[in-house]
Amino acid sequence: MVLQQKPSGAVVWGHGELGAVVTLTLSGASGLVIMEKTAQVKGPSGTWTTVLEPMDRGGPYALTAEQGLENVTLRDIYFGDVWLCSGQSNMAMTVLQVANASQELAAAARYPHVRVFAAAPARSSVELEDLEQIDLPWSIPTAENLGHGNFTYFSAVCWLLGRSLYEALGTPIGLVEVAWGGTPIEAWSSHRVLKACGLPEDTGSTSPHQHLSGPQAPSVLWNAMIHPLLNMTLRGVAWYQGEANTLLNTDQYNCTFPALIADWRWAFHTGSAGQTEPHLPFGFVQLSTYRHESADDSFARLRWHQTADLGVVPNARMPSTFMAVAMDLGDEHSPYGSIHPRDKQNVAHRLLLGAMAVAYGDKDLVFQGPFPTRAVLEVTRGLLNVTYSQELMWRQRDAQAFEVRSGVSSPKSCRREGSTDGSFSPPQVCCSSQTSPCQWLVAPVVAVGSHTVTLALSGCRTLVLGLRYAWAEWPCEYLACPLYNSQGLPAPPFLLDTLPAGNTAEGRELLLLPSSGLPLN
């Protein structure tokens, strides 16, 4: 196994006879005692817990726990960085299922200092202290345990990220997989999260048409698969989930996801006696694709909500986070269904860049694609100039990725497109030549500069009420979104549907968006 290295202390815990004193001894390969700790078994759970002194990376070590005449020894322990990987089926996809699987499996033997552990899927109506079952105990990676089967163990995204971290850092890496396909964020959330976001905290109906049960029920995976691990000292979290929430509480995800991150951080910090840092780095994969030419915008909305409606991370609502954009990694011919793209190597690489920048402090590393910072309207020419934060690479020249909502002020109002609650947008109406007052219209790209995209406005040229990019379920072809930076990272999607109205002055600056640098850690 791998325990967390310094500056944190690894937490070790176990069971014993109530009231007894347990002595723990950490020794090196030669048998030399490195440290000794004692802990008392406390009720009502009959458990003991202790925090080891911070250790430099390396190993192997042996850890012995003694209670009276009984003792248990764990061997082949290394100190390094421990990452938790969680989510639904795209996290559960094994190395066996990804592109170039045979090559990836054959390479496993080269990484004996990356150790893997997988909890078995389990659910509970109450918070558990222990995992009910383990699918894969702490193991050295092999082709067999990285490709045990489909959607079992071991997670391809988790493995590829951990392997890359080892290559970048040279430190042992411990990977803990806790995933279950088809599960919504509500199942992974504590009652605190559900309450904070105004969602039902029981397994009853969440809407007049939905009844959640099994692994989809609120908090059941938090109770059985996350709560038992809270004593662990972690270095970071990787999360790939959200597809299930394109069908459930989609427009609450801008609350539930930031709330889950904050709650997990608090719970792991508290459970590890303060050893897991309070702003535990949290990386996630923005949703990839599902159906070509689908008119449904639930995937687009969910991608936006994954950033707390700010487009980039880290941000004020989601500090110390990082994101791997994946909308250009669609796989229409995946044998596991198009919702399960096989290119997990690019996913892991983009997560690695974010981890190195956010978790490991490489401030000079470019870890995300370009994001717009301002847009200026040229009324007389009917153009909108959108300025980006990074140098642009334009790959898909015939793409219709930009859309505007343009028109003139009106006392009328219209239902906000994509709304599930019947909410209304500010008073607005498009030109009389348009069929719908709320219709989004393609804004063709007429020029791309080093940092600027120039759009031709459809319909009215006097007022821009909204602007969006890549707002579709399948917005890009494979590795061919319109906009990338020079490092090959795609520009993330964005939505601005509340631009200021009423001023049509030439050269008016319409928006100022968050920086896509590294603002919050």
Side-chain angles (χ1 to χ4, degrees):
M1 70 167 60
V2 173
L3 297 177
Q4 184 57 44
Q5 66 177 332
K6 69 177 189 181
S8 299
V11 179
V12 180
W13 71 98
H15 291 276
E17 183 180 340
L18 189 63
V21 174
V22 175
T23 300
L24 284 94
T25 304
L26 181 72
S27 55
S30 63
L32 178 67
V33 174
I34 306 297
M35 76 175 73
E36 191 171 279
K37 291 277 186 175
T38 59
Q40 187 171 26
V41 181
K42 299 179 181 180
S45 59
T47 58
W48 54 266
T49 304
T50 192
V51 180
L52 301 181
E53 300 297 328
M55 291 285 296
D56 288 322
R57 69 186 185 187
Y61 295 94
L63 182 65
T64 299
E66 296 181 88
Q67 177 192 291
L69 299 177
E70 299 180 45
N71 67 80
V72 175
T73 299
L74 300 176
R75 304 186 185 278
D76 199 32
I77 295 172
Y78 283 78
F79 286 87
D81 282 346
V82 182
W83 282 76
L84 176 71
C85 302
S86 186
Q88 57 181 110
S89 56
N90 269 303
M91 181 61 82
M93 281 183 75
T94 67
V95 182
L96 180 70
Q97 297 176 268
V98 303
N100 301 319
S102 58
Q103 178 182 339
E104 298 291 2
L105 292 172
R110 300 205 302 265
Y111 300 92
H113 294 141
V114 180
R115 302 297 172 90
V116 292
F117 175 98
R123 61 183 188 270
S124 173
S125 59
V126 296
E127 294 180 339
L128 303 182
E129 297 301 320
D130 282 324
L131 295 172
E132 289 187 342
Q133 191 175 348
I134 295 170
D135 269 347
L136 180 67
W138 281 108
S139 303
I140 295 174
T142 65
E144 290 73 25
N145 60 31
L146 294 184
H148 180 73
N150 293 342
F151 303 104
T152 53
Y153 55 86
F154 189 76
S155 164
V157 169
C158 193
W159 164 252
L160 293 168
L161 171 61
R163 185 184 73 183
S164 299
L165 285 170
Y166 173 76
E167 291 173 338
L169 301 167
T171 187
I173 299 292
L175 301 173
V176 179
E177 178 192 344
V178 188
W180 194 331
T183 53
I185 195 171
E186 291 79 6
W188 297 99
S189 302
S190 73
H191 290 296
R192 294 180 295 272
V193 172
L194 302 175
K195 184 177 180 180
C197 295
L199 296 175
E201 299 176 48
D202 56 37
T203 58
S205 177
T206 58
S207 78
H209 308 290
Q210 290 179 307
H211 182 86
L212 299 180
S213 60
Q216 294 188 328
S219 300
V220 293
L221 305 186
W222 159 266
N223 292 339
M225 300 180 74
I226 300 300
H227 192 268
L229 302 178
L230 293 182
N231 287 347
M232 293 186 71
T233 309
L234 298 179
R235 186 65 181 88
V237 175
W239 173 262
Y240 195 159
Q241 190 279 332
E243 296 90 346
N245 285 100
T246 63
L247 303 172
L248 173 70
N249 296 326
T250 304
D251 292 321
Q252 282 73 50
Y253 206 89
N254 58 5
C255 178
T256 50
F257 189 37
L260 177 139
I261 294 172
D263 186 67
W264 281 26
R265 285 172 169 166
W266 173 83
F268 276 100
H269 178 70
T270 303
S272 65
Q275 297 305 304
T276 296
E277 60 180 283
H279 285 287
L280 175 68
F282 199 108
F284 63 95
V285 183
Q286 194 176 50
L287 287 193
S288 184
T289 56
Y290 182 23
R291 298 166 298 187
H292 256 305
E293 300 180 3
S294 170
D296 188 350
D297 74 341
S298 59
F299 265 64
R301 283 162 32 226
L302 201 288
R303 291 186 191 111
W304 184 241
H305 296 329
Q306 285 180 294
T307 68
D309 298 352
L310 292 171
V312 289
V313 297
N315 60 49
R317 292 189 61 198
M318 300 172 65
S320 296
T321 59
F322 53 96
M323 175 176 72
V325 174
M327 64 183 180
D328 63 332
L329 303 179
D331 187 356
E332 190 172 14
H333 303 294
S334 170
Y336 315 106
S338 59
I339 203 168
H340 298 121
R342 289 166 288 180
D343 182 352
K344 295 298 191 274
Q345 289 87 347
N346 269 303
V347 169
H349 174 67
R350 293 169 186 180
L351 284 174
L352 171 69
L353 294 177
M356 294 305 297
V358 174
Y360 295 100
D362 188 344
K363 304 295 185 183
D364 297 324
L365 183 66
V366 177
F367 67 99
Q368 56 192 345
F371 200 71
T373 57
R374 62 195 293 258
V376 176
L377 180 66
E378 294 184 51
V379 175
T380 56
R381 300 176 64 195
L383 300 176
L384 184 66
N385 296 307
V386 183
T387 300
Y388 274 79
S389 58
Q390 301 173 28
E391 185 175 359
L392 299 174
M393 303 292 290
W394 181 247
R395 290 191 182 178
Q396 200 177 6
R397 295 190 177 277
D398 58 346
Q400 298 182 337
F402 288 93
E403 297 171 285
V404 294
R405 197 201 301 270
S406 61
V408 294
S409 296
S410 167
K412 299 178 182 179
S413 61
C414 59
R415 187 176 182 275
R416 186 185 300 274
E417 183 183 41
S419 170
T420 58
D421 58 4
S423 61
F424 283 80
S425 62
Q428 60 189 55
V429 64
C430 288
C431 294
S432 58
S433 62
Q434 304 304 330
T435 58
S436 168
C438 283
Q439 184 178 5
W440 286 89
L441 304 171
V442 172
V445 175
V446 296
V448 178
S450 62
H451 289 78
T452 303
V453 177
T454 300
L455 308 175
L457 299 180
S458 302
C460 299
R461 298 180 176 182
T462 58
L463 184 62
V464 176
L465 300 171
L467 174 66
R468 66 188 189 185
Y469 169 75
W471 200 261
E473 191 166 300
W474 197 302
C476 312
E477 294 309 311
Y478 181 64
L479 292 176
C481 274
L483 293 176
Y484 288 77
N485 63 14
S486 57
Q487 288 78 23
L489 297 175
F494 70 84
L495 168 70
L496 290 145
D497 61 354
T498 55
L499 296 181
N503 190 329
T504 61
E506 183 78 17
R508 170 163 163 69
E509 185 172 296
L510 295 177
L511 63 144
L512 181 63
L513 300 181
S515 167
S516 62
L518 189 61
L520 294 167
N521 285 317

